[in-house]
Amino acid sequence: MKKIRATITAIGKYAPERILNNYELEKMVDTSDEWIRARTGIFERHIAAKGEASSDMASAAFEDMQSRFKVDPEEIDLIIVATITPDMFFPSTAAIIQHNIGATNAFGFDISAACSGFVYALAIAAEFIENGRYKKVLVVGSDIMSSLTDYTNRDTCILFGDAASVALLEPTMQDNGILDYIMKMDGKGKDYLYVAAGGSKNPATHETIDKKMHYIYQEGKTVFKFAVSKMAEVSVDLLKRNSFKSKDIEMFIPHQANKRIIDACVSRLKLKDEQVMINIDKYANTTAATIPLGIVDAYDQGRLKKGDLLLMSAFGGGFTWGSVLMKWSL
Ligand code: COA
């Protein structure tokens, strides 16, 4: 009997209007456009307006999806939101998005897997569809990283941006869709990349605010090394167990955290430039949104075509990481 697979049938994206480029950052901290471009590949990033929340960006990305594809919100069964910048602790961002877009028949939840959020969410969505229980799953990657960023700290403020992107998953009996995935986690990573306060361990107090504990902290070099080795390792394992070689990949969409991480990963996977999607120069690291933004941009540029073998790979806080292999069907 043929297997039911989950495939992406519609996509959309949103990035806030305000753009913060490297020259503006030069005026805010001791940095330079030259350093940022050379060390990260980033030139500009979008920044959410005051009062704009992750649910607003996701809802705008959904509107973009509706302008491109015929999607009836009432037919959506499930909304999975990957975010580390939810609107509030509760209700879930998924509930707010459900209300905003009129997906009255959907249930949903948020998942916290930092930069791996979108690939984790794809894996979860695939399981719900493959077991035949649900037919339309909206997967959202939305993060307002500027809400966690200290714009007086040059170590981190150059790296992040805000954006949202969405993908609708539906069942297919064709020879396409999500073929396989591998997801991983190593909790030792909790010491290298985190926001210390605001949760149950260190609830917000004047002291936590004074100590800037609500901002992202990371040990950049450690994160860098893990990201390169883990993204490459999990991608090689995934290709191997599906009997594919690097040359079979038409499009590799890696998490966009640093162009040098991507380059090192690409070289380990022995891929050519034309097989790789890079848009970090325009958006910086938008956490859960980087991979779906890469999908939309690659599709818009005609670089992702029906039947293409697509490999996605991410690494993030936790540490979490994972890769998804799919045959593109749009
Ligand atoms: N502008 C100018 N100089 C800067 C700078 C900035 N924004 N940030 C750091 N520097 C300086 C450092 O102070 C250091 O100076 P020193 O040599 O006098 O001590 C020098 O540049 C090199 O710093 P270093 O931290 O070694 O740079 P790096 O090559 O490791 O790059 C990161 C730093 C953060 C860009 C890099 O480690 C990285 O991208 N890590 C992964 C981060 C990440 O992806 N996080 C998200 C999770 S997926």
Side-chain angles (χ1 to χ4, degrees), residues 29-32 35-36 39-40 114-116 153-160 193 216 218-225 227 255-261 285 287 315-317 319:
V29 289
D30 180 16
T31 191
S32 66
W35 192 97
I36 300 171
R39 306 305 291 169
T40 71
C115 300
S116 310
N153 179 354
R154 71 176 185 175
D155 293 341
T156 48
C157 75
I158 58 156
L159 295 172
F160 298 100
L193 180 55
I216 289 180
Q218 67 170 357
E219 267 186 48
K221 274 194 196 317
T222 308
V223 176
F224 190 104
K225 280 185 207 148
H255 171 52
Q256 314 273 315
N258 183 321
K259 168 108 179 359
R260 290 186 297 132
I261 293 178
N285 182 351
T287 301
F315 180 88
F319 295 134

Side-chain angles (χ1 to χ4, degrees), residues 20-239:
L20 174 67
N21 68 29
N22 292 348
Y23 300 117
E24 286 174 87
L25 281 170
E26 283 181 354
K27 295 180 199 140
M28 295 158 65
V29 289
D30 180 16
T31 191
S32 66
D33 171 55
E34 199 189 352
W35 192 97
I36 300 171
R37 278 199 224 223
R39 306 305 291 169
T40 71
I42 299 165
F43 173 60
E44 60 191 21
R45 66 288 285 145
H46 293 251
I47 303 291
K50 199 168 182 308
E52 193 170 28
S54 291
S55 66
D56 298 320
M57 296 202 308
S59 306
F62 182 78
E63 248 178 60
D64 178 54
M65 175 192 267
Q66 280 185 306
S67 72
R68 297 159 177 264
F69 302 91
K70 201 173 165 306
V71 180
D72 180 353
E74 289 182 9
E75 287 179 3
I76 296 171
D77 300 305
L78 166 60
I79 302 171
I80 306 175
V81 182
T83 186
I84 53 162
T85 53
D87 291 24
M88 294 175 266
F89 275 127
F90 74 91
S92 68
T93 311
I96 301 166
I97 295 169
Q98 185 246 26
H99 177 71
N100 285 354
I101 67 174
T104 45
N105 296 306
F107 80 112
F109 49 85
D110 296 0
I111 63 152
S112 169
C115 300
S116 310
F118 189 78
V119 291
Y120 266 46
L122 276 185
I124 298 166
E127 294 301 328
F128 273 110
I129 288 175
E130 284 172 19
N131 71 22
R133 194 171 284 274
Y134 296 112
K135 293 211 161 16
K136 295 197 186 215
V137 181
L138 184 69
V139 173
V140 178
S142 184
D143 269 306
I144 299 198
M145 295 308 290
S146 62
S147 67
L148 302 178
T149 301
D150 176 3
Y151 286 97
T152 64
N153 179 354
R154 71 176 185 175
D155 293 341
T156 48
C157 75
I158 58 156
L159 295 172
F160 298 100
D162 305 336
S165 196
V166 293
L168 186 71
L169 275 85
E170 293 185 65
T172 176
M173 296 295 277
Q174 310 292 314
D175 182 25
N176 59 29
I178 294 177
L179 306 179
D180 198 6
Y181 61 81
I182 300 176
M183 298 296 135
K184 298 273 186 179
M185 181 160 77
D186 181 350
K188 285 200 288 289
K190 70 179 175 46
D191 296 331
Y192 303 106
L193 180 55
Y194 57 81
V195 173
S200 55
K201 190 176 167 75
N202 295 301
T205 62
H206 290 291
E207 194 193 353
T208 61
I209 304 242
D210 291 344
K211 288 185 173 165
K212 299 190 170 194
M213 289 166 70
H214 299 264
Y215 292 129
I216 289 180
Y217 169 83
Q218 67 170 357
E219 267 186 48
K221 274 194 196 317
T222 308
V223 176
F224 190 104
K225 280 185 207 148
F226 266 90
V228 172
S229 75
K230 296 302 181 188
M231 276 165 62
E233 190 181 283
V234 76
S235 296
V236 166
D237 289 351
L238 187 62
L239 289 178

